[in-house]
Amino acid sequence: MALFDKTKQVDSVEELTHAQKAHIVHTLNYSPRNSNLRFYRRKFGITNQVVSELSEYSNVKDVVKRDERYYSPNWDNDDVIFHPDADRIEVIPIANDNEYDSVNEGCHYKWDEADCYQIFSSLLDRALEMIRDSAVDQETFTEGLDYLVSDVNKAFCKSVGIDHEELVLGALHYKDLHDNERIQYELNPKDNKADALDSSDVVCIDDYVTELKQQAAFDF
């Protein structure tokens, strides 16, 4: 059964289960914030008022239910983060799964520095791919750009020695060059297309980001 019934609209926080509140607060805090409240109304079937009230929570741990039968004290440690998993159907007792929380419907994972680098580096790479490969009027372009300029990515860049402003400006510059290369490729006569593809001027954002990361020389 789906965690959220999108055919109905929830008008108050009190109507939500602990698992629903945890999932919404997690999305509000750990995903790029969408300024259009209709996004959350459609995603969770809630009103703007519910979105506003749950936006006041800065940590998903403030809304999870600590059921003593299933909740491990270790899950409150600072290096443990709750990850919603609404697609998981079976209820697994904590004795058989030290990470899964059947009450709040998610997993409590312990993160170390290397784990953090891996996930945030991957998110950055994916955002740049979305920017490069999408038209500027597509939703995927907006999503990629939203993450690129987000405070989360800004903090990650700072932690590894990458100039965030340079990264954003560089990505947009390379996007413009990449699109121009693509247009020229499509407009070239058929016989010249191979030469266009082999040109050393073809832009690759991946190479640019790799260069920035090498310059940062972070220790992971």
Side-chain angles (χ1 to χ4, degrees):
M1 181 177 180
L3 182 59
F4 295 94
D5 183 358
K6 299 178 183 179
T7 63
K8 301 178 181 178
Q9 182 170 276
V10 176
D11 298 317
S12 68
V13 174
E14 289 71 23
E15 296 179 54
L16 297 170
T17 66
H18 286 281
Q20 289 173 328
K21 286 187 286 187
H23 283 237
I24 296 171
V25 171
H26 183 277
T27 300
L28 291 171
N29 282 280
Y30 299 109
S31 299
R33 181 60 63 92
N34 195 311
S35 59
N36 190 342
L37 295 183
R38 286 181 297 179
F39 169 81
Y40 301 106
R41 293 207 307 265
R42 293 195 302 266
K43 183 176 180 66
F44 300 116
I46 56 180
T47 62
N48 291 350
Q49 180 62 32
V50 174
V51 176
S52 177
E53 291 184 30
L54 292 179
S55 295
E56 298 178 4
Y57 293 98
S58 60
N59 192 326
V60 69
K61 292 183 179 180
D62 294 334
V63 295
V64 297
K65 183 178 181 180
R66 290 166 170 78
D67 190 314
E68 295 181 356
R69 296 170 298 171
Y70 302 106
Y71 197 87
S72 169
N74 295 330
W75 291 346
D76 283 330
N77 293 341
D78 291 338
D79 58 354
V80 175
I81 298 177
F82 176 73
H83 295 263
D85 187 5
D87 295 329
R88 189 163 180 168
I89 299 175
E90 69 273 20
V91 177
I92 302 177
I94 190 172
N96 296 332
D97 190 331
N98 293 328
E99 297 172 336
Y100 186 64
D101 179 349
S102 60
V103 175
N104 297 291
E105 296 195 35
C107 294
H108 297 264
Y109 292 126
K110 182 177 180 179
W111 287 73
D112 59 25
E113 198 171 27
D115 293 327
C116 293
Y117 168 73
Q118 181 63 42
I119 184 65
F120 289 117
S121 178
S122 297
L123 288 171
L124 172 56
D125 289 342
R126 177 56 182 153
L128 291 169
E129 289 176 356
M130 293 168 70
I131 292 172
R132 181 193 61 198
D133 298 334
S134 304
V136 294
D137 59 349
Q138 290 183 316
E139 186 176 350
T140 48
F141 175 84
T142 302
E143 291 178 0
L145 184 59
D146 283 346
Y147 183 79
L148 187 65
V149 302
S150 69
D151 290 339
V152 171
N153 184 53
K154 185 176 182 179
F156 168 69
C157 289
K158 181 179 180 180
S159 71
V160 298
I162 291 178
D163 187 309
H164 180 251
E165 183 177 355
E166 178 186 350
L167 174 65
V168 174
L169 294 176
L172 294 176
H173 174 65
Y174 272 66
K175 165 66 174 173
D176 186 48
L177 294 178
H178 180 271
D179 286 353
N180 287 336
E181 288 283 353
R182 178 180 54 79
I183 292 173
Q184 290 301 318
Y185 167 74
E186 293 175 351
L187 292 178
N188 276 340
K190 183 177 181 181
D191 293 340
N192 295 329
K193 285 186 177 180
D195 293 335
L197 283 178
D198 291 336
S199 171
S200 59
D201 295 330
V202 174
V203 176
C204 180
I205 291 180
D206 295 338
D207 293 340
Y208 173 70
V209 177
T210 299
E211 180 182 348
L212 283 177
K213 289 180 178 179
Q214 290 173 344
Q215 291 174 1
F218 36 72
D219 298 322
F220 283 97

